[in-house]
């Protein structure tokens, strides 16, 4: 027996989501059918609404429902520092630390020649223009991931900004707090040794 | 930093789904925002559409988009057997075997005094009425789960149908195919011994 058509379609749509296989999709679909009408409509509406109202901030490239985004338009934040990250999720990760009070620039990607993603395919040109337009920005923190692509992107940006005289820094890599030296991989340990600070 | 409102709402709605925690909900939400507009709308629409068009079959209680459902209105199926199951998913499970060609009756629940669910709270009265209306039904197969509630429900229905003279059977319980006697629990092994068949 096949699923009735509307149910089959719902399961098909749900299983397009990442990490949702056909079994989970079917479980979710049955759950949705067991919900109150207004709950299911609210779920559907929140999808359409988020999709319609959320867009990239014209200044920093973060996902936002206003423009400029809440961070860019917050006068209490330090206007002289910009933290460059790969994704919106990374902004939230740094914000969770509740220590950094500067601005952000979201690349929405990384340079990856293997996947044919060059410097023009990520949100990089707008960073250069932003720095030219706002001479009050004196430091750029490169917080791309410590992956091959993230490192390459950080190196590329650092080289690009060198002539401008802006201070460019890279977040530290090393043994995570709570981590175990014994189980650290060689590259992390190397980075930890290289990045040692005097006490 | 808080999520922008529409994004926060979407994450909230998604995390109401079973097995979706706040991390997964956030990952799904960002994925939805990265989808094409029409893909996201199609997902939202499939939820509303399924919710609007799917309902319980007035004959058997199965979820369907037509009435009576595809199984009840299939003249090629045996009209003299009714398999009683707990949920719609159980119908699909039995259908996957491709052996049973009779009809179904979906209880949409089980009798569970612990949770205050009595015989009147499940789709049981309609089974009795259905059997009275269709004297051609000569066998009822009880395929509720082998849980305390499922067993109790099966026993209750069997006792209820006894005076009518309809043949009532219960699916067999025992060692699953591919299972290992060594690791079978005592109750399953007991059921397997009790249900032994002569060769």
């Amino acid at each position: 027996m096949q699923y009735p058509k509307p149910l089959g379609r719902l399961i098909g749509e749900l299983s397009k989501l990442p990490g949702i296989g056909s079994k989970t999709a079917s479980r979710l679909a049955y759950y949705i059918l067991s919900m109150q009408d207004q709950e299911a409509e609210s779920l559907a509406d929140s999808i359409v609404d988020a999709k319609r109202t959320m867009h990239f901030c014209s200044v920093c490239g973060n996902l936002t429902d206003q423009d400029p985004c809440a961070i860019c338009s917050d006068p209490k934040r330090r206007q002289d520092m910009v933290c460059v990250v790969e994704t919106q999720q990374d902004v939230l990760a740094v914000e969770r630390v509740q220590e950094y009070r500067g601005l952000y620039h979201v690349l929405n990607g990384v340079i990856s020649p293997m996947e044919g993603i060059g410097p023009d395919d990520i949100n990089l040109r707008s960073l250069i223009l932003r720095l030219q337009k706002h001479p009050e920005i004196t430091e750029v923190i490169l917080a791309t991931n410590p992956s091959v692509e993230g490192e390459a992107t950080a190196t590329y940006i650092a080289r690009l900004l060198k002539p401008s005289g802006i201070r460019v820094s890279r977040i530290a890599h090393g043994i995570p707090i709570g981590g175990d030296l014994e189980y650290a991989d060689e590259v992390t340990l190397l980075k930890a040794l290289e990045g040692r600070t005097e006490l």
Side-chain angles (χ1 to χ4, degrees), chain A:
Chain A
M1 188 192 123
Q2 295 283 314
Y3 289 112
K5 222 169 169 191
L7 179 59
R9 184 181 158 216
L10 177 56
I11 293 173
E13 291 287 345
L14 289 171
S15 55
K16 285 183 196 165
L17 297 174
I20 308 280
S22 62
K23 283 238 169 180
T24 308
S26 146
R27 190 163 50 85
L28 292 178
Y30 276 112
Y31 181 82
I32 287 171
L33 288 177
S34 75
M35 282 166 124
Q36 298 289 324
D37 276 9
Q38 72 205 58
E39 284 180 318
E41 271 159 33
S42 177
L43 169 60
D45 182 57
S46 70
I47 293 171
V48 175
D49 184 51
K51 193 68 197 150
R52 202 182 50 227
T53 55
M54 299 290 292
H55 53 263
F56 295 122
C57 170
S58 62
V59 179
C60 72
N62 196 4
L63 265 179
T64 173
D65 59 337
Q66 58 190 91
D67 198 24
C69 74
I71 295 178
C72 286
S73 54
D74 183 352
K76 278 181 286 181
R77 298 191 76 108
R78 290 183 60 170
Q79 304 291 320
D80 59 345
M81 293 175 103
V82 169
C83 178
V84 177
V85 292
E86 291 178 23
T87 65
Q88 299 91 40
Q89 287 98 314
D90 296 337
V91 172
L92 293 172
V94 178
E95 283 295 290
R96 267 197 295 273
V97 184
Q98 297 192 320
E99 182 62 38
Y100 178 72
R101 297 296 298 153
L103 305 172
Y104 290 93
H105 200 85
V106 184
L107 297 176
N108 285 314
V110 268
I111 298 173
S112 170
M114 293 285 281
E115 294 177 49
I117 303 171
D120 292 338
D121 300 316
I122 60 174
N123 195 25
L124 184 51
R125 183 182 296 268
S126 67
L127 173 65
I128 309 300
L129 293 173
R130 186 179 175 188
L131 294 174
Q132 285 169 351
K133 203 172 146 194
H134 295 280
E136 69 271 24
I137 300 173
T138 54
E139 180 169 359
V140 169
I141 301 173
L142 299 172
T144 52
N145 283 321
S147 60
V148 175
E149 292 83 7
E151 289 292 348
T153 307
T155 312
Y156 182 88
I157 298 175
R159 209 173 298 164
L160 206 65
L161 298 184
K162 194 136 211 187
S164 69
I166 294 170
R167 202 173 139 208
V168 179
S169 58
R170 178 92 175 101
I171 52 164
H173 299 317
I175 311 291
I177 302 301
D180 201 320
L181 230 70
E182 189 181 341
Y183 301 116
D185 63 291
E186 291 83 352
V187 183
T188 302
L189 204 46
L190 176 66
K191 289 280 180 190
L193 286 170
E194 282 176 356
R196 68 190 180 278
T197 51
E198 230 170 288
L199 295 179

